[in-house]
């Protein structure tokens, strides 16, 4: 055994870190390995093993393959561009300026998470469809137009709405980095007569570069997988992208079983593409130390002062976002929860308003809330513990092969969510006789955590990259063990990142649908699956009423979050 | 004196018997077939039972109502769960995988289309039951699939009654090619529902119709079947294919079925092998297939109507413009398991999905 290995075994902290890293790798590799097996097997995985490349052939020979590649690339890149155009200014305004009332921004960003995306898409269809969209009717009347001004059924609208919907997770991913950057750098720039705009462009953005690039790559993958907008807005006019193709293969198969093999083959193409992006990303952060800005001599943070005009512009910018992503979705949710069926606002609709759906869903709540809260607490806790350990190993150690850990975590996110959930279904079944986790909610916890580790790792890695090596070197010189340094020096500094990650992953968990829908059993139903199932049953008012309950739950979470932030980090 | 007393006792016994026979005429002969009588104590010991309802979720209140009716009918306490676990292909796939490692199925009774039942049977996932013993009508039994027909699923065409007069609504599929419907028709992005057009028009005519609907009429698509009704009811589209109007009509939506002939298929129930509550499962199938109260409840709660159950939409459509089943034109199982998937592949290409 090497010295390093002996040191790890004798240091309980390092041993714990190692175990969490192994657990993270197992969870993510399960998805990749089963993806490969499913893509290469002719039938069902537990029934037979007949290797074949037929799924790949069928996918590539499909007439829509290249159309889907083109649509998906344009949609993915466009979505990331729109997302960054909102998220970077928000992160800057929130962390580096004296904008009054900026905490409301976090409320706008987080509450929206509770509104099911299919309802948001439906809201925009009611507003902007070319046939009887409310906005089109109003504009046509005002300007005496012949045809509709807006047509929501187009790729640019999919891109815009997807990009805007991704602002919240992107904001939370880049926020810790923006917070960690030392204010002394800006102050030095100001003292040298550099303008605020130039300081932002030349100092802050380059420093946040690795995490912004990382977020761009990560959310490109997420954008490729987003279904609600592509499905509801793209499908009506046959704008097919990767996610709608997968949906067709799994949910609407032409045969009596889902085409998981072809879906997995598509996933393999995704993993291959993401692998290239990851290699590029790893190459780009090789010189990450040049971005290290948090040193042992940390100064008191001070905010950039905005002029009254700049404050007005900032709030106008936030207001436009709030209208698109907060007021319209929440209004849509409340409106549909009060009506017997989905309809545009009118006098006739107003007469039908009632609280009946709330009365009907009330008895549903105890088991749904219990299961949802279990997931909401267990998933982010597990994911953040794993992510903290992987991020530390990747960014702060010289462990050979650590690039492989980064690569595996990144590749895992490219596994289509449906196939990823299927992997855990197989995992649960494989170990059922020894560990009967399959019929419990804990299989869902593992499956969702596995998908969230990538996000956690990206976010926490971004914050850890900001730490200068001099602190660890000082600890080493003082004879403090590596494990103790991790616990007592590194963790307290990146605590805001861990906290933001936990909070955001909790939000992501309560609205995760793809994984629970694949693994749900009658005793493990959660709010998201109930909302989906009521909607599928044509009971949109019940689905929306549950959505409102989810909104309240998220509201409680946001309030707790604000309380903790005020107490600990301000 | 002693003789008088004996006489009074004898008269009392006779009177009791007479009154008993008058008050409880069925007391001598049970209202249930012997096979059901035998099941009742076993079902009582099991105490609960569950039915797979596809993606349809019902509220706890509705399940309680169902449980009470079931319990009252059989005179035993029973908790009935109506479980909406997801799409049929996905749940069947799970059942197949779960059976390999001995996981008990999440539901006792599975209700689905014939083509899926064939897959369940091949995987050995259903109990071989002779439903005749339980008093189920022979016309409702699929002996080779051990299944009972309890639901008629109609692939209807709906229209918005605020925007289309009944007289102007399409009366045959060819009417959909009228230029007034251009850009105004919506259907689910699901090729499996289109073979039912071929069932009525014939394969080539059906394919050509759908091709023209896509190319000339700019047929639009939704992600789910229920979304078709949403889009027609709110007036975005005038016509919608693949879904029937009943649920939304009940809620007051301006939607109605077009006065024309529709394709339909039968959905049947089976008891799953290794079910946790096999006796109660059999009773549940008996309840929804033969008992008027059971038929009424699955219609009111799950919207599962049947072509021969008065008061349901399927019955009205069958009596009105008419429903066409695969069994009316060919071998039903053959069509469902082989022709339907083949046709779905052809329609998939035409639809460009």
């Amino acid at each position: 055994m090497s010295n390093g290995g002996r040191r790890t075994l004798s240091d309980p902290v390092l041993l714990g870190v190692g175990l969490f890293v192994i657990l993270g790798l197992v969870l993510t590799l399960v998805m990749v390995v089963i993806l490969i097996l499913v893509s290469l097997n002719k039938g069902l995985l537990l029934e037979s093993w007949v290797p074949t490349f037929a799924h790949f052939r069928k996918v590539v020979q499909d007439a829509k393959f290249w159309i889907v590649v083109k649509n998906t690339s344009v949609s993915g890149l466009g979505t990331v561009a729109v997302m960054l155009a909102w998220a970077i200014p928000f992160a800057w305004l929130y962390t580096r300026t004296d904008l009054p009332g900026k905490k409301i921004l976090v409320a706008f960003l987080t509450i929206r998470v509770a509104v099911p995306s299919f309802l948001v898409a439906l809201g925009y269809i009611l507003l902007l469809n070319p046939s009887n969209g409310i906005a089109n009717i109003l504009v046509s009347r005002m300007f005496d137009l012949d045809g509709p001004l807006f047509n929501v059924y187009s790729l640019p609208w999919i891109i815009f709405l997807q990009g805007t919907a991704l602002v919240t997770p992107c904001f939370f991913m880049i926020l810790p980095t923006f917070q960690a950057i030392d204010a002394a750098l800006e102050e030095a720039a100001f003292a040298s007569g550099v303008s605020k705009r130039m300081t932002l462009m030349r100092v802050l953005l380059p420093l946040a570069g690795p995490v912004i690039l990382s977020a761009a790559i990560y959310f490109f993958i997420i954008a490729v997988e987003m279904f609600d907008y592509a499905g509801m807005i793209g499908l009506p006019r046959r704008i097919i992208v990767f996610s709608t193709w997968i949906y067709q293969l799994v949910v609407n198969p032409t045969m009596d079983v889902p085409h998981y093999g072809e879906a997995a083959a598509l996933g393999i193409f995704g993993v291959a593409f993401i692998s290239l992006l990851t290699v590029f990303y790893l190459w780009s952060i090789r010189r990450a130390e040049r971005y290290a800005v948090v040193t042992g001599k940390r100064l008191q943070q001070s905010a950039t002062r905005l002029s009254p005009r700049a404050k007005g512009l900032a709030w106008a910018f936030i207001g436009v976002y709030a209208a698109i992503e907060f007021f319209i979705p929440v209004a849509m949710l409340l409106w549909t929860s009060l009506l017997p069926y989905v309809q545009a606002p009118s006098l006739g609709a107003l007469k039908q308003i009632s609280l009946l759906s709330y009365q009907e869903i009330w008895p549903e709540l105890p088991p749904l809330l219990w299961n949802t809260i279990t997931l909401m607490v267990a998933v982010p806790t597990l994911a953040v513990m794993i992510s903290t350990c992987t991020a530390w190993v990747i960014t702060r150690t010289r462990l050979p092969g650590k690039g492989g850990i980064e690569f595996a975590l990144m590749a895992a996110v490219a596994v289509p969510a449906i196939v990823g959930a299927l992997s855990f279904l197989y995992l649960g079944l494989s170990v059922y006789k020894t560990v009967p986790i399959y019929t419990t909610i804990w299989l869902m916890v593992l499956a969702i955590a596995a998908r969230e580790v990538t996000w956690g790792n990206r976010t926490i890695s971004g914050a850890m990259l900001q730490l200068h090596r001099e602190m660890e070197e000082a600890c080493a010189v003082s004879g403090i063990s590596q494990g103790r340094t991790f616990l007592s020096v590194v963790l307290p500094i990146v605590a805001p990142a861990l906290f933001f990650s936990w909070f955001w992953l909790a939000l992501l968990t309560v609205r995760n649908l793809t994984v629970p829908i694949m693994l749900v059993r009658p005793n493990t139903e959660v709010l998201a699956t109930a909302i989906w199932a009521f909607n599928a049953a044509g009971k949109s008012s019940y689905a929306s009423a549950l959505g409102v309950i989810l909104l309240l739950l998220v509201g409680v979470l946001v309030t707790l979050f604000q309380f903790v932030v005020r107490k600990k980090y301000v | 004196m002693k003789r008088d007393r004996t006489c009074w006792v004898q008269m009392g016994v006779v009177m009791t018997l007479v009154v008993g026979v008058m008050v409880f005429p069925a007391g001598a002969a049970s209202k249930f077939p012997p096979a059901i009588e035998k099941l009742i104590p076993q079902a009582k010991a099991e105490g609960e039972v569950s039915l797979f309802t596809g993606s349809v979720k019902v509220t706890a209140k509705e399940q309680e109502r169902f449980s009470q009716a079931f319990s009252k009918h059989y005179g035993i306490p029973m908790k009935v769960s109506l479980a909406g676990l997801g799409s049929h292909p996905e749940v069947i796939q799970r059942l197949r995988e779960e059976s390999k490692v001995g996981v008990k199925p999440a539901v006792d009774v599975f209700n689905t289309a014939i083509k899926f039942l064939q897959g369940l049977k091949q995987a050995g996932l259903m109990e071989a039951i002779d439903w005749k013993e339980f008093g189920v009508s022979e016309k409702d039994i699929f002996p080779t699939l051990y299944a009972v027909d309890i639901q008629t699923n109609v692939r209807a065409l709906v229209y918005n009654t605020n925007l289309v007069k009944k007289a102007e609504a399409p009366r045959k599929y060819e009417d959909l090619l009228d230029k007034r419907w251009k850009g105004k028709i919506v259907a689910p992005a699901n090729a499996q529902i289109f073979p039912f057009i071929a069932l009525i028009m014939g394969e080539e005519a059906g394919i050509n119709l759908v091709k023209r609907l896509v190319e000339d009429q700019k047929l639009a698509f939704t992600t789910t079947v229920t979304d078709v009704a949403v889009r027609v009811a709110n007036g975005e589209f005038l016509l919608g294919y693949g879904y029937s109007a009943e649920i939304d009509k009940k809620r007051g939506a301006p939607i109605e079925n077009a006065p024309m002939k529709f394709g339909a298929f039968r959905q049947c129930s089976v008891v799953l092998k290794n079910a946790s509550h096999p006796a109660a499962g059999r009773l549940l199938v008996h309840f929804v297939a033969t008992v008027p109260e059971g038929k009424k409840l699955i219609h009111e709660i799950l919207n599962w109507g049947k072509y021969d159950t008065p008061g349901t939409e399927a019955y009205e459509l069958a009596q009105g413009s008419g429903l066409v089943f695969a069994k009316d034109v060919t071998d039903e199982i053959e069509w469902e398991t082989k022709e339907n998937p083949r046709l779905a592949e052809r329609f998939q290409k035409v639809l460009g999905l």
Side-chain angles (χ1 to χ4, degrees):
Chain A
M1 191 183 281
S2 69
N3 281 343
R6 264 191 230 114
R7 202 167 57 227
T8 304
L9 285 178
S10 62
D11 186 335
V13 177
L14 290 187
L15 195 63
V17 167
L19 288 175
F20 274 113
V21 171
I22 290 168
L23 178 62
L25 280 175
V26 168
L27 291 180
T28 49
L29 286 176
V30 158
M31 291 193 285
V32 178
V33 170
I34 293 182
L35 175 84
I36 294 168
L37 292 176
V38 172
S39 72
L40 292 173
N41 189 29
K42 195 176 175 188
L44 299 179
L45 210 52
L46 293 184
E47 280 188 0
S48 59
W49 171 249
V50 184
T52 176
F53 283 107
H55 303 310
F56 289 91
R57 252 196 318 274
K58 203 162 179 199
V59 163
V60 175
Q61 286 171 357
D62 195 301
K64 60 180 171 283
F65 181 77
W66 290 110
I67 299 169
V68 168
V69 168
K70 186 186 139 219
N71 284 347
T72 308
S73 307
V74 172
S75 153
L77 289 172
T79 299
V80 168
V82 171
M83 173 194 80
L84 291 176
W86 292 107
I88 293 174
F90 284 166
W92 178 70
L93 285 170
Y94 188 74
T95 58
R96 320 295 304 178
T97 72
D98 63 344
L99 184 70
K102 60 187 178 185
K103 288 194 175 65
I104 298 171
L105 175 62
V106 174
F108 284 146
L109 285 163
T110 45
I111 295 285
R112 154 67 181 88
V113 173
V115 186
S117 296
F118 68 83
L119 274 177
V120 181
L122 197 56
Y124 281 98
I125 288 168
L126 286 176
L127 204 62
L128 302 171
N129 81 70
S131 182
N132 67 346
I134 298 165
N136 275 322
I137 291 171
L138 287 177
V139 172
S140 294
R141 278 182 197 156
M142 272 162 56
F143 300 103
D144 201 20
L145 300 176
D146 286 338
L149 184 65
F150 307 107
N151 183 359
V152 75
Y153 300 122
S154 60
L155 199 54
W157 274 106
I158 297 175
I159 289 170
F160 179 73
L161 291 173
Q162 282 191 166
T164 312
L166 284 180
V167 171
T168 309
C170 180
F171 172 81
F172 280 104
M173 186 182 266
I174 63 177
L175 189 71
T177 302
F178 271 78
Q179 268 178 331
I181 295 172
D182 200 323
L185 297 165
E186 283 160 294
E187 282 162 11
F190 297 150
S192 314
V194 180
S195 71
K196 286 169 191 163
R197 198 167 66 96
M198 288 302 281
T199 307
L200 173 67
M201 302 301 284
R202 293 284 174 85
V203 179
L204 274 176
L205 288 186
L207 284 171
V211 81
I212 291 174
L213 178 65
S214 164
I217 294 172
Y218 178 83
F219 286 106
F220 177 84
I221 304 165
I222 299 296
V224 164
E225 244 214 294
M226 284 178 88
F227 174 73
D228 290 301
Y229 297 101
M232 293 193 73
I233 296 172
L235 260 186
R237 296 296 171 216
R238 291 193 298 163
I239 302 166
I240 312 273
V241 292
F242 179 79
S243 61
T244 40
W245 195 1
I246 296 238
Y247 178 83
Q248 290 293 106
L249 288 169
V250 175
V251 182
N252 287 334
T254 48
M255 305 296 282
D256 64 347
V257 288
H259 301 306
Y260 286 126
E262 287 163 54
L266 273 176
I268 295 281
F269 286 118
V271 171
F273 180 65
I274 298 316
S275 302
L276 285 177
L277 285 179
T278 308
V279 169
F280 170 68
Y281 167 73
L282 292 175
W283 172 80
S284 72
I285 61 161
R286 263 193 319 182
R287 290 170 298 161
E289 289 208 359
R290 65 185 269 204
Y291 303 109
V293 288
V294 178
T295 67
K297 300 160 288 207
R298 196 174 183 192
L299 295 175
Q300 185 72 29
Q301 297 283 0
S302 65
T304 301
R305 287 192 190 144
L306 295 178
S307 67
R309 187 168 161 268
K311 284 175 186 167
L313 280 173
W315 269 110
F317 185 64
I318 293 170
V320 171
Y321 172 83
I324 294 169
E325 274 296 288
F326 180 79
F327 291 113
I328 292 176
V330 171
M332 181 69 194
L333 187 71
L334 289 169
W335 177 249
T336 47
S337 74
L338 299 170
L339 289 166
Y341 65 95
V342 182
Q343 49 194 306
S346 67
L347 268 180
L350 277 174
K351 286 177 191 160
Q352 296 176 36
I353 278 180
S354 81
L355 291 172
L356 186 72
S357 52
Y358 289 89
Q359 288 167 12
E360 288 296 317
I361 56 125
W362 195 250
E364 310 288 315
L365 289 178
L368 290 179
L369 283 177
W370 174 251
N371 287 338
T372 305
I373 290 170
T374 304
L375 281 188
M376 199 177 84
V377 173
V379 170
T381 305
L382 180 63
V384 167
M385 286 169 91
I386 294 172
S387 308
T388 307
C389 297
T390 56
W392 182 71
V393 168
I394 291 165
T395 61
R396 315 305 303 173
T397 70
R398 294 193 166 85
L399 186 78
K402 63 179 185 174
I405 300 173
E406 173 98 35
F407 189 80
L409 294 180
M410 206 66 181
V413 83
V415 177
I418 290 175
V419 183
L422 181 73
S423 307
F424 278 89
L425 190 137
Y426 284 126
L427 178 72
L429 289 173
S430 309
V431 301
Y432 177 70
K433 282 180 181 159
T434 43
V435 188
I437 193 175
Y438 180 79
T439 51
T440 69
I441 201 159
W442 299 106
L443 185 66
M444 260 191 228
V445 170
L446 289 181
I448 301 173
R451 292 197 74 75
E452 293 187 349
V453 161
T454 313
W455 190 93
N457 181 59
R458 291 286 80 247
T459 309
I460 298 165
S461 287
M464 284 189 180
L465 277 174
Q466 304 293 326
L467 306 184
H468 203 285
R469 290 225 173 266
E470 68 180 34
M471 287 185 295
E472 284 140 317
E473 285 160 6
C475 289
V477 169
S478 313
I480 299 170
S481 72
Q482 216 178 356
R484 176 95 189 276
T485 306
F486 170 66
L487 274 187
S488 311
V489 177
V490 177
L491 286 189
I493 294 175
V494 297
L498 306 190
F499 180 66
F500 277 110
S501 299
W502 189 95
F503 169 70
W504 172 248
L505 292 179
L507 286 178
L508 271 187
T509 301
V510 293
R511 61 166 302 169
N512 189 312
L513 177 63
T514 316
V515 174
I517 211 78
M518 283 287 289
L519 303 176
V520 70
R521 292 179 72 85
N523 60 325
T524 58
E525 221 182 356
V526 292
L527 272 171
T529 54
I531 290 172
W532 173 83
F534 274 132
N535 190 59
K539 297 170 181 171
S540 52
S541 58
Y542 294 2
S544 303
L546 280 179
V548 173
I549 307 280
L550 190 60
L551 201 72
L552 295 174
L553 190 67
V554 171
V556 170
L557 197 64
V558 172
T559 310
L560 281 174
F561 169 76
Q562 298 276 27
F563 178 75
V564 176
V565 166
R566 242 195 325 269
K567 281 264 177 197
K568 293 203 71 166
Y569 301 120
V570 176
Chain B
M1 189 74 182
K2 192 178 176 184
R3 189 183 164 84
D4 283 353
R5 206 183 307 155
T6 310
C7 187
W8 277 111
V9 170
Q10 283 172 346
M11 275 178 69
V13 170
V14 170
M15 284 298 284
T16 307
L17 284 173
V18 169
V19 170
V21 169
M22 283 169 70
V23 175
F24 306 107
S30 163
K31 67 175 180 177
F32 301 118
I36 295 289
E37 281 288 357
K38 204 172 145 194
L39 277 181
I40 289 174
Q42 294 168 27
K44 186 181 176 186
E46 290 168 0
E48 55 187 286
V49 65
S50 56
L51 167 69
F52 172 67
T53 59
S55 300
V56 176
K57 180 168 172 59
V58 299
T59 63
K61 272 187 186 175
E62 289 167 324
Q63 293 184 69
E64 178 57 28
R65 189 178 154 212
F66 199 99
S67 300
Q68 282 176 5
F70 185 98
S71 303
K72 188 178 167 196
H73 185 77
Y74 295 102
I76 53 172
M78 182 65 63
K79 184 187 172 201
V80 183
S81 302
L82 305 172
L85 297 178
S87 78
H88 293 235
E90 284 181 281
V91 177
I92 289 169
Q93 160 107 337
R94 279 180 66 176
L95 288 172
R96 285 171 66 171
E97 304 281 22
E98 286 169 1
S99 70
K100 298 287 166 201
V101 292
V103 177
K104 279 195 174 290
V107 288
D108 304 301
V109 179
F110 204 85
N111 186 61
T112 191
I114 293 165
K115 67 174 174 178
F116 295 126
L117 287 177
Q118 188 76 358
L120 282 174
K121 188 190 173 189
Q122 281 164 1
L125 295 179
M126 54 173 73
E127 287 279 0
I129 298 171
D130 179 5
W131 289 105
K132 263 194 290 183
E133 280 181 30
F134 300 97
V136 177
S137 165
E138 263 188 72
K139 71 176 172 50
D140 291 335
I141 299 174
F142 281 83
T144 55
L145 294 172
Y146 318 121
V148 178
D149 174 12
I150 63 166
Q151 182 198 1
T152 300
N153 216 325
V154 183
R155 293 300 179 204
L157 183 89
V158 294
Y159 66 95
N160 183 307
T161 54
N162 285 344
L163 303 169
V164 179
K165 290 177 190 150
K166 189 177 179 182
E168 292 168 354
R171 296 185 168 270
K172 55 186 187 301
Y173 284 105
E174 289 85 344
D175 293 348
L176 298 179
L177 298 173
D178 189 303
K179 65 180 178 189
R180 69 171 295 205
W181 309 123
K182 186 171 179 176
K184 301 290 179 191
I185 313 173
V186 67
N190 182 351
Q192 286 186 80
I193 63 157
F194 288 89
F196 293 91
I197 294 179
L199 203 57
I200 292 171
M201 300 181 75
E203 183 171 342
E204 292 311 318
I207 293 279
N208 285 333
L209 176 97
V210 173
K211 199 172 176 192
R212 289 191 61 193
L213 286 178
V214 171
E215 289 170 4
D216 304 339
Q217 298 294 77
K218 306 294 171 210
L219 176 68
F221 299 99
T222 60
T223 48
T224 63
V225 176
T226 46
D227 203 24
V228 168
V230 171
R231 306 287 187 94
V232 174
N234 71 32
E236 185 187 350
F237 294 95
L238 301 181
L239 306 176
Y241 172 68
Y243 195 63
S244 64
E246 190 173 27
I247 299 179
D248 296 272
K249 254 168 70 180
K250 279 183 195 166
R251 297 193 189 115
I255 193 167
E256 184 55 272
N257 295 309
M260 56 192 276
K261 199 169 269 192
F262 299 127
F265 62 100
R266 304 199 272 176
Q267 294 223 145
C268 306
S269 286
V270 294
V271 175
L272 293 177
K273 191 160 256 177
N274 298 322
S276 303
H277 315 101
R282 285 164 168 81
L283 275 194
L284 183 60
V285 175
H286 176 260
F287 186 61
V288 295
T290 68
V291 179
E293 178 67 6
K295 290 181 181 184
K296 186 175 162 232
L297 278 178
I298 56 165
H299 176 238
E300 285 178 8
I301 294 172
L302 292 165
N303 210 49
W304 290 358
K306 193 155 165 273
Y307 69 96
D308 60 357
T309 305
T312 66
E313 181 191 57
Y315 178 82
E316 282 163 21
L317 290 172
Q319 298 300 313
S321 312
L323 296 178
V324 178
F325 292 87
K327 68 182 170 62
D328 301 327
V329 290
T330 182
D331 180 273
E332 191 172 17
I333 295 178
E334 181 80 7
W335 191 85
E336 285 266 3
T337 54
K338 290 186 182 152
E339 276 297 283
N340 187 310
R342 185 187 66 77
L343 287 167
E345 292 273 5
R346 277 198 79 186
F347 278 106
Q348 178 105 327
K349 287 194 179 105
V350 172
L351 293 165
L353 294 169

